[in-house]
Amino acid sequence: QEGLRQGRKPGIALSYASAFVSRADLLIVGTFLSLWITQSATAQGMSLTDAAAKSGVILAVGGLSQLILGPVIGYLCDLIGRKSHRVDALALASLAGGIAWCSFYFVATPLETMVLYLMILVGIAQISGVITSQVLVAQQAPPAIRGSVIGFFGLCGAFSQILLNWLGGKLYSNWSPQMAFVLVGALNFALVVLCIVMRPFVENKEQE
């Protein structure tokens, strides 16, 4: 209840929206991208073992980019927060996510070489979204009830995973695999717009 009431504040409301979107990014990789890779590989005659290995290699590219670039992105997040505004860092992370996921609309099969390059951008977008959203909620939450606010922040992310598992699955099965990725890309672009609209109302205070 404390976390929900705090959602009336622009900065905390924006952080809740960012939790919804950043967890959607994680979901789409773990569920739909791995499924699409496996289905495409077996359709080309690979065994399930080889298809799983192929999926692991492609997903590892995104994980490796997060491992290498995570510290750099964390530093840039702080730099942007000091020089400009924390919301700007979140907007840039969401923009990267929107571009990365919507680019999958032009992918005929996830076994294309282009997907490896997209996975680098996906990895950057994912780690950026996680870092910037968590920094924002930690900055905006009142110290006395920070645990309640961050708990509700996590609840927003969990709700995102439930909803988008269902909706993404519908799009994947009834329309095309690409549309599940476009859905998450559209959510990222929507968050960019929300950042622009709400930025004047969000205080760029230092975390206590």
Side-chain angles (χ1 to χ4, degrees), residues 37-171:
I37 294 169
T38 301
Q39 287 182 328
S40 298
T42 53
Q44 292 188 10
M46 291 187 187
S47 67
L48 282 175
T49 302
D50 290 340
K54 183 69 173 179
S55 175
V57 169
I58 294 173
L59 297 184
V61 172
L64 185 60
S65 67
Q66 292 183 40
L67 178 65
I68 295 172
L69 297 174
V72 176
I73 291 168
Y75 169 75
L76 290 176
C77 177
D78 278 342
L79 183 63
I80 293 171
R82 291 193 301 267
K83 300 293 185 181
S84 180
H85 202 293
R86 294 287 180 190
V87 174
D88 295 342
L90 178 62
L92 289 173
S94 302
L95 180 62
I99 293 171
W101 290 119
C102 286
S103 295
F104 276 87
Y105 179 78
F106 305 101
V107 174
T109 169
L111 304 181
E112 295 177 6
T113 303
M114 182 180 75
V115 171
L116 295 177
Y117 298 106
L118 285 179
M119 286 306 298
I120 296 174
L121 182 57
V122 163
I124 293 171
Q126 281 187 309
I127 194 65
S128 300
V130 169
I131 291 173
T132 54
S133 62
Q134 290 180 343
V135 167
L136 182 64
V137 71
Q139 180 202 57
Q140 297 294 319
I145 56 169
R146 183 166 289 150
S148 297
V149 172
I150 292 178
F152 196 86
F153 173 89
L155 183 64
C156 292
F159 177 68
S160 167
Q161 292 179 326
I162 294 170
L163 177 62
L164 293 177
N165 252 320
W166 173 77
L167 184 56
K170 291 289 186 182
L171 292 173

Side-chain angles (χ1 to χ4, degrees), residues 2-25:
E2 287 176 338
L4 180 60
R5 285 196 296 268
Q6 288 296 311
R8 291 176 293 186
K9 298 178 180 178
I12 295 178
L14 183 60
S15 73
Y16 289 165
S18 70
F20 187 94
V21 175
S22 65
R23 295 309 180 273
D25 282 5

